[in-house]
Amino acid sequence: MNSNELFEKSLKLVPGGVHSPVRSFKGLHTTPRFINRGKGAYIWDEDGQNYIDFCMSFGPLIHGHQDPEIKEAIIKALDNGWTFGACEKYSLELAEFIIGKISFIEQIRFMSSGTEAVMTAVRLARGITGRAKIIKFNGCYHGHLDAMLIKAGSGLAGTAEASSKGVTAHQADDTLICELGDLEEVKKIFDDHKDQIAAIFIEPLPANNGLLIQEEAFLKGLRELCDKHCALLVFDEVISGFRIGFGGMAEKTGIIPDLVTYGKIIGGGMPVGAVAGPRKFMEFLAPVGPVYQAGTLSGNPVAMAAGLVNLKKLTPAAYEKLNSNTTKVVAVMKDWMDKNGFEDYQTIQYGSLFYPISTHDKLSNITHLPKNMNERFFALFKVMLEKGIYLAPNAYEVGFGSIAHDDKVIEDLKNRLWN
Ligand SMILES: *Cc1c(COP(=O)(O)O)cnc(C)c1O
């Protein structure tokens, strides 16, 4: 069966034909490609086409598809069984490795997704502070837990409503929404809700609604406000962790969060999420502390083995390669776009993340995104797909460079673009 036939079948079996909405190619006037294989920087679909992959499973595959050392670790782990629901030493190796390298982390708890990590961090922040409300920023994505499926309301500053049906008004009441970059607004929210705010949650490098790079002064201001009001600062580094250097944005900026959440890269492409921080906060979690959290498949030994090798391979030289690969990719794409009807685009880059967007304006919050971005992205996505280049299938998603996108792949990218 080809991709079209598989999608037709899938529409009958699965809501919208997909297990995660962004995969549906909604608004892109074509059906999703069904991928049957990936290797290095490439993926192959059921129609026999291959593509240079810039989605990379939305981030986890920092070394490319089927990295041989990660594959070997997975196979080796399988030989011992793939879940015990009991104590094992494999998760300790990953925990020890991460804790040894990131100075503000004393303890870590593994789970199976980024959403679970943020969900745990929300409960933990509430449990630690005894307060109910959290601050979230417009344009930051933190997974699909109810507390985060909240958008700015149409009423007063800080009011909010659910962005999904099924999320109660009660949930929306406890999530306060601010605009990225607007420290004054955050100050006002703290003053309006004295002793009620448990934590600020932020993607320190917001990369789920375009790439909305923040001033360090803003992040620093949030740190100070949290200290002043005895609230926690939580960095959601599910996308930026282990990508913008090993210690993510916390390490890059020197701004230390009280809790950090990880996902994506931490499992090397296997399902892993984590919450980490100092012992004094982490020990609020059960069974020591009063905040409950659990998981049948948490600390899964195969996923732990994959994550460990994935992270061990992230040497300083690897980061250099990762970033320089991405810089070259962006240069090649930009050059082609400028001369082929996409001169309205700029390509924003931060390390190995890049974001082509149809405006020359500076972007630092979602109000800066251009109105015609969906139509313009459709045009770009379509040409790229026809040329064998797979961008993440949505105007709001960033592109992911990898260590596998080496000079040979970049040469191929150039050929595909210009032919
Ligand atoms: C992807 C992402 C999540 C959600 O992780 P899942 O593994 O998809 O549940 C949460 N926060 C950020 C910043 C993310 O990029």
Side-chain angles (χ1 to χ4, degrees), residues 113-115 118 141-143 203 208 236 238-239 264:
S113 71
T115 295
V118 175
Y141 178 69
H142 299 290
E203 284 180 81
N208 279 287
D236 179 358
V238 170
I239 230 172
K264 299 194 168 106

Side-chain angles (χ1 to χ4, degrees), residues 332 335-337 339-340 387 413-419:
V332 168
D335 180 48
W336 182 86
M337 284 160 75
K339 293 168 186 157
N340 289 277
K387 289 178 173 294
L413 172 67
K414 213 184 280 176
N415 289 331
R416 286 176 189 229
L417 281 170
W418 287 97
N419 286 337

